Amino acid sequence: MSIIVKKFGGSSVANTERLFVIARIIKETYEKKHKIVVVISAQGKTTDQLIEKAYKVNSNPSPREMDVLLSSGEQISMALLSMALQKLEVPSVSLTGWQAGIETCSYHSNAKITNINPIRIKENLDKNSVVIVAGFQGINAQGDITTTGRGGSDTTAVALAAVLSADECRIYTDVNGVFVADPNIIPKTEKIDTISYNCMTKFASKGAKVLNKRSVQLAEKYSVPISVLSSFENLHSTTVCEKESKNCGEIKGIAVNKNLILVHISGLFQMCIEKIFDLISNENTVRVCLQKEDSLVIIINGDDKNSSQMIAKKIKSTCEDHKISFFLDENIAEVSVINSNEKNQIVTTNVILKCLKNIKIKSINTEDNLISMLIDKSEIEVVVNKIYSEFFNKS
């Protein structure tokens, strides 16, 4: 009897109607005699709402208490889904991350999974129950609840698929696969049937929200194929695995990250630089640091509002202590072109610059088969359309 891990994101479980939709999807698989582990996210915007509530109570909440608070969203979802399955006469049990045996490092808000001891999962699978595990969470060596960062439920699903030697890991989202460009910007963009782990990691690291970057890296490490499919439509999905579609060209796609924060610091001296770098050295959400003479520009990935606000507060406090100027710029975005041929990187960059000759590009970076540009948010649609037309829509 095969084991299948299914992960459902927040939009898939946003309300009671959606809960029963995915409960029926699970029931259909269950009736085919598969053993099923479901990883669930918090409903809809629950996590954002909990963060907002926290900051109304305390403008500088402790990371530990934020993890205690935010982990509750997934626990609500898992219990409700189990109730829905039981109403459909499917035996099920819900487990928190720590009940499921998920152990993490001690770092709050962006913890890494260090070990999984799936005894209770296996016991319940042997009883032919569907096991529903709260995503995005675990427990550290001190016995404290930890969360694994924005999109961490993807990582939970892949990690469980690896430790259980599952036959499949299916990630259900509100889109039916991975696309060359954001369908909200290019409605008729092509879907990618099969994409390599390496290429998907680049998409994820540059703003594509289909999969969490860490989950793809984990899938590659343990050779776990991932199917990305929609919980809203019964359509062909994208498979993430070692090899990609034969028809993939040299330009794989375009990724957009709208959730960046630029931190501008000026009037620096050496001691302050060292303290700031000490603050950000272990922060995965800090993307780039650019230093110019006596100023510093730090780029923070703002997808995880909780983490980004905490980093910004730490930097601000250090700047105020040293009486140096500090301000944030949230009106920026990054557009990245994923390029498969490093030898053609300069040629491709030149083509991009020519087609964007009337666009103000704040900076451009070329490395690891990526061409990334910082632009104003207002220019996103124009830039993506121009690049797409140049590489994917030539007549």
Side-chain angles (χ1 to χ4, degrees), residues 180 195 198-206 208 249-256 335-341 345 348 352 368-372 392:
V180 165
I195 187 170
N198 183 51
C199 191
M200 189 65 237
T201 298
K202 290 181 171 63
F203 268 97
S205 67
K206 291 299 181 180
E250 289 189 355
I251 304 301
K252 303 301 181 185
I254 307 164
V256 177
V335 176
S336 299
V337 175
I338 292 89
N339 178 26
S340 68
N341 191 340
Q345 193 91 316
T348 304
I352 291 170
D368 193 27
N369 293 358
L370 285 167
I371 302 164
S372 302
F392 298 100

Side-chain angles (χ1 to χ4, degrees), residues 47-235:
T47 301
D48 290 336
Q49 291 166 359
L50 290 172
I51 290 171
E52 186 178 344
K53 287 181 179 181
Y55 279 92
K56 284 181 179 178
V57 173
N58 186 333
S59 61
N60 189 26
S62 78
R64 181 190 182 280
E65 299 310 326
M66 284 299 292
D67 277 359
V68 174
L69 176 66
L70 298 185
S71 63
S72 66
E74 279 68 21
Q75 292 174 48
I76 292 169
S77 294
M78 72 181 195
L80 291 174
L81 178 58
S82 186
M83 293 173 192
L85 283 168
Q86 290 166 11
K87 187 170 183 179
L88 297 178
E89 299 182 342
V90 176
S92 63
V93 62
S94 63
L95 300 175
T96 62
W98 46 99
Q99 288 174 326
I102 299 173
E103 301 168 10
T104 74
C105 67
S106 294
Y107 192 81
H108 286 286
S109 82
N110 199 23
K112 291 183 179 180
I113 296 173
T114 56
N115 184 53
I116 299 179
N117 188 6
I119 294 174
R120 291 188 68 176
I121 294 176
K122 289 181 177 180
E123 287 176 350
N124 283 283
L125 289 177
D126 289 342
K127 295 174 184 176
N128 291 322
S129 289
V130 172
V131 180
I132 306 164
V133 178
F136 173 69
Q137 61 186 249
I139 191 167
N140 64 22
Q142 291 72 45
D144 289 330
I145 298 169
T146 56
T147 62
T148 54
R150 186 69 72 170
S153 294
D154 292 345
T155 308
T156 303
V158 172
L160 287 173
V163 78
L164 293 169
S165 300
D167 296 81
E168 291 184 63
C169 182
R170 301 175 185 175
I171 307 291
Y172 291 82
T173 71
D174 54 3
V175 294
N176 60 316
V178 181
F179 292 81
V180 165
D182 186 343
N184 294 313
I185 300 174
I186 311 287
K188 294 184 179 180
T189 186
E190 301 93 330
K191 183 169 64 177
I192 302 171
D193 291 331
T194 308
I195 187 170
S196 68
Y197 294 121
N198 183 51
C199 191
M200 189 65 237
T201 298
K202 290 181 171 63
F203 268 97
S205 67
K206 291 299 181 180
K209 298 183 183 300
V210 181
L211 285 173
N212 170 280
K213 175 185 173 182
R214 196 180 286 173
S215 71
V216 183
Q217 293 172 327
L218 195 63
E220 181 174 22
K221 181 178 180 179
Y222 293 101
S223 300
V224 177
I226 302 172
S227 295
V228 181
L229 57 166
S230 172
S231 62
F232 294 81
E233 300 175 276
N234 186 20
L235 297 173

Side-chain angles (χ1 to χ4, degrees), residues 378-389:
S378 60
E379 302 274 27
I380 291 174
E381 291 200 11
V382 173
V383 168
V384 173
N385 272 282
K386 283 180 176 290
I387 295 173
Y388 186 86
S389 295

Side-chain angles (χ1 to χ4, degrees), residues 318-357:
T318 300
C319 291
E320 288 174 344
D321 288 345
H322 290 83
K323 296 182 172 57
I324 57 178
S325 61
F326 161 92
F327 70 94
L328 301 178
D329 179 3
E330 298 186 60
N331 189 36
I332 62 158
E334 183 180 53
V335 176
S336 299
V337 175
I338 292 89
N339 178 26
S340 68
N341 191 340
E342 194 170 356
K343 293 180 180 178
N344 289 341
Q345 193 91 316
I346 295 175
V347 174
T348 304
T349 304
N350 192 37
V351 172
I352 291 170
L353 290 174
K354 284 181 178 179
C355 79
L356 299 178
K357 61 184 178 181

Side-chain angles (χ1 to χ4, degrees), residues 234-250:
N234 186 20
L235 297 173
H236 179 67
S237 63
T238 294
T239 300
V240 184
C241 56
E242 192 61 45
K243 297 181 180 180
E244 56 198 1
S245 302
K246 292 181 180 179
N247 61 350
C248 277
E250 289 189 355

